[in-house]
Amino acid sequence: IITDSGATVNGISINGAAYYYKLINNIWVFQSTILSSVSKVNLRFGFSLSFNGDYIVIGAPNQDNPNTSTTG
Protein backbone atom coordinates (compact mmCIF):
# COMPACT_ATOMS: atom_id res chain seq x y z
CA ILE A 1 0.00 0.00 0.00
CA ILE A 2 1.30 3.42 -0.98
CA THR A 3 -0.54 6.47 0.33
CA ASP A 4 -0.73 10.02 -0.99
CA SER A 5 -2.53 12.24 1.52
CA GLY A 6 -2.13 15.21 -0.82
CA ALA A 7 -3.81 13.61 -3.83
CA THR A 8 -6.54 15.47 -5.67
CA VAL A 9 -9.52 13.13 -6.08
CA ASN A 10 -12.43 13.98 -8.38
CA GLY A 11 -11.36 17.64 -8.37
CA ILE A 12 -11.14 17.83 -4.56
CA SER A 13 -7.66 18.98 -3.52
CA ILE A 14 -5.73 17.29 -0.72
CA ASN A 15 -8.49 14.68 -0.33
CA GLY A 16 -6.02 11.77 -0.40
CA ALA A 17 -5.84 8.21 -1.70
CA ALA A 18 -4.08 4.91 -1.18
CA TYR A 19 -2.81 2.56 -3.89
CA TYR A 20 -2.67 -1.20 -3.47
CA TYR A 21 0.07 -3.17 -5.21
CA LYS A 22 0.68 -6.92 -5.13
CA LEU A 23 4.00 -8.71 -5.71
CA ILE A 24 3.51 -11.08 -8.67
CA ASN A 25 6.52 -12.95 -10.10
CA ASN A 26 8.91 -10.45 -8.43
CA ILE A 27 7.11 -7.47 -9.99
CA TRP A 28 4.91 -5.03 -8.05
CA VAL A 29 1.61 -4.90 -9.95
CA PHE A 30 -1.01 -2.21 -9.31
CA GLN A 31 -4.29 -3.72 -8.07
CA SER A 32 -6.61 -0.90 -6.99
CA THR A 33 -7.07 2.61 -5.63
CA ILE A 34 -8.55 3.01 -2.16
CA LEU A 35 -10.51 6.21 -1.49
CA SER A 36 -12.20 7.63 1.58
CA SER A 37 -15.97 7.46 1.77
CA VAL A 38 -15.77 11.17 2.69
CA SER A 39 -14.86 13.77 0.06
CA LYS A 40 -13.68 17.15 1.30
CA VAL A 41 -10.83 19.55 0.74
CA ASN A 42 -7.83 18.88 3.00
CA LEU A 43 -9.17 15.56 4.35
CA ARG A 44 -5.63 14.07 3.95
CA PHE A 45 -6.83 10.45 3.71
CA GLY A 46 -3.68 8.35 3.71
CA PHE A 47 -1.77 10.51 6.21
CA SER A 48 -1.20 7.43 8.38
CA LEU A 49 -1.30 3.70 7.74
CA SER A 50 -1.34 0.63 9.98
CA PHE A 51 -1.47 -3.12 9.31
CA ASN A 52 -2.60 -5.95 11.59
CA GLY A 53 -2.80 -9.38 9.98
CA ASP A 54 -5.33 -9.17 7.14
CA TYR A 55 -6.54 -5.72 8.18
CA ILE A 56 -5.39 -2.25 7.24
CA VAL A 57 -6.35 1.11 8.74
CA ILE A 58 -5.80 4.31 6.78
CA GLY A 59 -5.97 7.58 8.69
CA ALA A 60 -7.45 10.94 7.73
CA PRO A 61 -6.49 13.49 10.41
CA ASN A 62 -8.84 16.17 9.12
CA GLN A 63 -12.01 14.10 9.33
CA ASP A 64 -14.45 16.23 11.33
CA ASN A 65 -15.58 13.71 13.94
CA PRO A 66 -14.26 10.14 14.01
CA ASN A 67 -17.19 9.05 16.24
CA THR A 68 -19.85 10.03 13.71
CA SER A 69 -20.66 8.14 10.52
CA THR A 70 -20.56 10.41 7.48
CA THR A 71 -21.63 7.77 4.97
CA GLY A 72 -25.35 7.84 5.67
Side-chain angles (χ1 to χ4, degrees):
I1 303 286
I2 298 171
T3 62
D4 180 0
S5 64
T8 296
V9 178
N10 297 323
I12 300 172
S13 61
I14 316 173
N15 192 61
Y19 308 97
Y20 171 59
Y21 289 80
K22 185 175 183 178
L23 187 61
I24 301 173
N25 296 324
N26 292 321
I27 299 171
W28 287 103
V29 179
F30 174 77
Q31 299 294 302
S32 64
T33 300
I34 304 166
L35 301 174
S36 172
S37 60
V38 176
S39 293
K40 75 175 212 175
V41 173
N42 201 33
L43 179 66
R44 300 200 65 87
F45 178 76
F47 184 82
S48 57
L49 175 72
S50 182
F51 291 91
N52 186 357
D54 291 337
Y55 297 92
I56 183 172
V57 176
I58 301 172
N62 294 328
Q63 171 61 32
D64 292 333
N65 185 344
N67 297 318
T68 303
S69 173
T70 57
T71 59

